Amino acid sequence: MYSIKMRASQNEGHISGAETICEASDIERMIATYFQKGFQHENGEPDFLNLKIEKVNLPIVQIKALPIIDHSQLKLSQLAASSHISQRAIEVAWRYIRNDTCYRGAIILDAYSGERIDEFGERGCRATHFCFKQQREDKIHNERIKDALAIATIFQSNEGVVGELCVSDDLNYTTGYFANHQGYHRLYDLKLKGSREGGRVLFVNQQFHIDAFTYFCQQQPKCVIY
Ligand code: COA
């Protein structure tokens, strides 16, 4: 199997990224798909596009995707409370999402105190080296939801992660999500259209081990199955 990755940027600012793990016979098709995706993004026209192909040498771990929960009346505050995330931690998360810094991955907060516990700076931690496969008959067709569900599932598969709040930094996409062990809860109108504010914040408890988490999210090849 091969890991295929695409990354497009403008003036060194991230525009879009995509990745999968596929058979050798699918590499050409995936590269053509990602090439299109990289050059057709609402965030802007890239001046740099990187395509990376790497052989996967470790066994691929399979993870069951979180269920998608789409109830428009869902409130973040209720979801947070049901995951033992304090109001204070949610307020800190919003500050990170709305501030002027563009974190390149997720930042990690203590679910009780709201204190940032990682030392990844502006880089944050990214979920990478994964693919998403659908086995259900009612397939997801929305590419954003596929990517987001895969990433949310990867983050939630780590011991001690009790929740994740995500707001897309795409200009006009205002739907985000809160993920916890129960599922991937879609949340509507999290920001105003026309803004690049956004980010991913993870909430963790005392069971969390940063080294195991970092290895699993960034090195371990994973296949998320829906
Ligand atoms: N957002 C912002 N910047 C990103 C980025 C992302 N998702 N992915 C990569 N970059 C930029 C960073 O500047 C990074 O340097 P850093 O490691 O110091 O932050 C630089 O590109 C090189 O990163 P690298 O991980 O070597 O890139 P890659 O060529 O292996 O591609 C992607 C990685 C883009 C495929 C992967 O990060 C990605 O985006 N996958 C799609 C799923 C996804 O959105 N994951 C991120 C969720 S947190």
Side-chain angles (χ1 to χ4, degrees):
M1 302 292 278
Y2 290 83
S3 154
I4 315 293
K5 292 178 179 171
M6 180 279 290
R7 174 164 62 86
S9 59
Q10 186 190 65
N11 294 326
E12 297 185 7
H14 188 68
I15 298 252
S16 78
E19 66 175 286
T20 192
I21 297 173
C22 68
E23 304 279 357
S25 55
D26 266 339
I27 295 176
E28 218 172 307
R29 185 175 62 85
M30 288 319 303
I31 285 181
T33 306
Y34 287 168
F35 180 78
Q36 294 292 332
K37 179 178 172 173
F39 273 111
Q40 289 169 6
H41 204 280
E42 65 174 13
N43 288 342
E45 187 188 324
D47 56 22
F48 175 88
L49 188 139
N50 186 60
L51 287 162
K52 199 194 264 181
I53 306 167
E54 287 169 293
K55 190 158 188 168
V56 175
N57 292 315
L58 292 169
I60 302 170
V61 170
Q62 301 212 338
I63 335 171
K64 190 167 167 237
L66 293 169
I68 298 177
I69 303 169
D70 197 347
H71 297 153
S72 53
Q73 76 282 10
L74 276 177
K75 292 268 176 306
L76 175 60
S77 53
Q78 293 161 338
L79 292 167
S82 72
S83 302
H84 305 289
I85 299 168
S86 69
Q87 191 55 38
R88 182 163 35 156
I90 292 290
E91 281 162 21
V92 175
W94 277 118
R95 261 182 260 144
Y96 278 104
I97 288 170
R98 293 191 171 132
N99 72 15
D100 290 335
T101 309
C102 278
Y103 297 92
R104 307 193 292 283
I107 63 144
I108 304 173
L109 301 185
D110 181 290
Y112 176 69
S113 68
E115 225 170 282
R116 184 170 181 187
I117 61 141
D118 68 87
E119 292 177 351
F120 300 133
E122 290 190 13
R123 182 183 191 280
C125 176
R126 295 193 288 273
T128 187
H129 285 116
F130 66 86
C131 60
F132 182 75
K133 293 244 151 62
Q134 306 207 62
Q135 290 181 346
R136 285 166 58 138
E137 284 195 358
D138 54 330
K139 292 206 174 358
I140 304 169
H141 297 289
N142 182 322
E143 293 299 320
R144 283 180 206 273
I145 299 183
K146 286 186 212 169
D147 287 348
L149 179 61
I151 293 164
T153 301
I154 292 166
F155 284 145
Q156 289 303 312
S157 302
N158 290 277
E159 199 181 359
V161 175
V162 294
E164 177 197 352
L165 174 62
C166 176
V167 180
S168 168
D169 63 1
D170 286 352
L171 262 186
N172 294 311
Y173 192 67
T174 60
T175 305
Y177 68 82
F178 175 82
N180 60 10
H181 291 283
Q182 273 105 47
Y184 168 100
H185 306 263
R186 299 193 78 199
L187 296 173
Y188 294 91
D189 303 318
L190 283 182
K191 68 173 191 181
L192 295 173
K193 278 194 169 177
S195 145
R196 287 279 326 250
E197 92 180 14
R200 276 199 162 82
V201 178
L202 299 175
F203 303 92
V204 302
N205 65 20
Q206 301 297 317
Q207 318 306 321
F208 182 73
H209 296 285
I210 195 126
D211 293 343
F213 168 85
T214 310
Y215 176 81
F216 183 76
C217 294
Q218 300 189 163
Q219 311 294 328
Q220 170 71 58
K222 304 157 281 284
C223 183
V224 179
I225 316 265
Y226 180 71

